[in-house]
Amino acid sequence: MKMHDLISMARKQNRSALDEQAGKALLARYGVAVPLSVIVAGADEVAQKMKPLKFPVVVKVMSPDILHKSDAGGVKVGLKSAAEVEGAIRTMMQQPAIAAVRIDGFLIEEMAPAGQEMVIGGLRDPQFGPLVMVGLGGIFVEVLADVSFRICPITRLDAQEMLAELKGAAILKGARGRKPVSQEAIIDVLLKVGGENGLLTQHAADIKEADINPLIVSDAGAVAVDARFILS
Ligand code: ADP
Ligand code: MG
């Protein structure tokens, strides 16, 4: 599906944001790796629909009313069989925060290889236009606010500098016994999002806010496992 279709479809449904699968489809169009996924309406469809997927998988609730799926009890990782997926969906449907809201379905997707969780984001400055942001995931973002920003479009050198500026930059190189991650893979995603032909630069008028959280980066590459785009 074309970028334009993804956005016009959301608008037609009076939605101010792309759902997770549409957001990932948009990233995939710009060459960012995302997990292979299917959507089911409920547990009954699982066995049939998830045939193309390899275990282990993740299940996530899809709802325009839920911003943080984990907080609502709407994410279950590491599922190893169709029966486990069915069970996870049934349990989710009983969570108070899920039972009370509109549900679009459940996203079942392959697990990304383990790695460092990063955040890549975008927002629009009234004066400077689209900005792209990168940070280390988890407490680095939430507590330490360790992020760096640039105005789009960024160059490869900008992307390299953005990573080097992070206070936690040493983590990426394998500090404290961690495995080093592919900085090239992060730079590559930063360019696909904020570079000259990148998503934010090309669609500055449509996208108000972008949030890839997390991008999971290993020594082999980077996969965007959660994506949220708020439309202008
Ligand atoms: P939310 O941010 O809405 O709570 P996420 O989609 O970010 O939900 O999932 C929560 C966490 O689950 C992620 O931060 C990540 O650690 C893990 N996770 C989600 N999807 C995957 C995946 N496909 N592969 C590996 N881990 C995942
Ligand atoms: Mg997330």
Side-chain angles (χ1 to χ4, degrees):
M1 199 183 296
K2 289 208 182 85
M3 160 75 192
H4 183 74
D5 300 337
L6 290 165
I7 289 189
S8 58
M9 223 165 72
R11 290 202 203 281
K12 255 188 224 144
Q13 298 171 347
N14 268 326
R15 293 192 173 183
S16 54
L18 297 184
D19 70 36
E20 183 171 343
Q21 209 199 32
K24 285 173 173 166
L26 176 55
L27 287 171
R29 266 181 63 79
Y30 279 82
V32 178
V34 298
L36 191 61
S37 69
V38 297
I39 293 179
V40 296
D44 298 348
E45 294 179 3
V46 167
Q48 179 60 32
K49 283 218 176 153
M50 73 175 297
K51 278 181 185 156
L53 305 187
K54 288 195 195 76
F55 293 107
V57 297
V58 188
V59 177
K60 305 181 192 186
V61 68
M62 295 180 71
S63 165
D65 302 322
I66 297 176
L67 201 56
H68 298 293
K69 301 177 294 287
S70 310
D71 294 351
V75 178
K76 187 92 176 128
V77 301
L79 302 169
K80 295 187 194 72
S81 67
E84 282 185 26
V85 173
E86 289 163 10
I89 290 175
R90 293 206 169 95
T91 305
M92 278 181 195
M93 285 172 136
Q94 286 164 11
Q95 302 293 315
I98 293 174
V101 299
R102 294 175 289 174
I103 301 299
D104 288 338
F106 295 87
L107 186 68
I108 309 175
E109 68 180 20
E110 293 182 350
M111 294 280 291
Q116 172 66 41
E117 299 204 353
M118 304 287 298
V119 177
I120 290 184
L123 50 93
R124 211 170 45 202
D125 182 272
Q127 196 177 350
F128 299 113
L131 306 182
V132 62
M133 176 272 262
V134 68
L136 288 145
I139 62 158
F140 290 98
V141 176
E142 284 149 24
V143 184
L144 306 176
D146 184 14
V147 295
S148 57
F149 285 91
R150 286 290 185 288
I151 298 167
C152 299
I154 57 165
T155 64
R156 181 164 291 271
L157 183 63
D158 291 327
Q160 286 163 348
E161 285 174 359
M162 288 173 81
L163 286 186
E165 269 171 24
L166 297 175
K167 296 185 205 93
I171 302 277
L172 302 175
K173 299 192 183 107
R176 302 275 172 121
R178 288 166 192 251
K179 267 205 198 164
V181 307
S182 170
Q183 297 202 48
E184 269 315 301
I186 307 169
I187 290 165
D188 193 49
V189 176
L190 275 170
L191 287 169
K192 284 168 174 162
V193 172
E196 192 171 33
N197 299 310
L199 198 166
L200 293 172
T201 316
Q202 296 288 308
H203 297 286
D206 285 316
I207 296 167
K208 186 165 147 201
E209 242 178 84
D211 194 23
I212 304 174
N213 186 7
L215 177 79
I216 301 186
V217 192
S218 66
D219 53 354
V223 184
V225 308
D226 190 13
R228 189 168 164 78
F229 289 93
I230 300 176
L231 304 178
S232 309

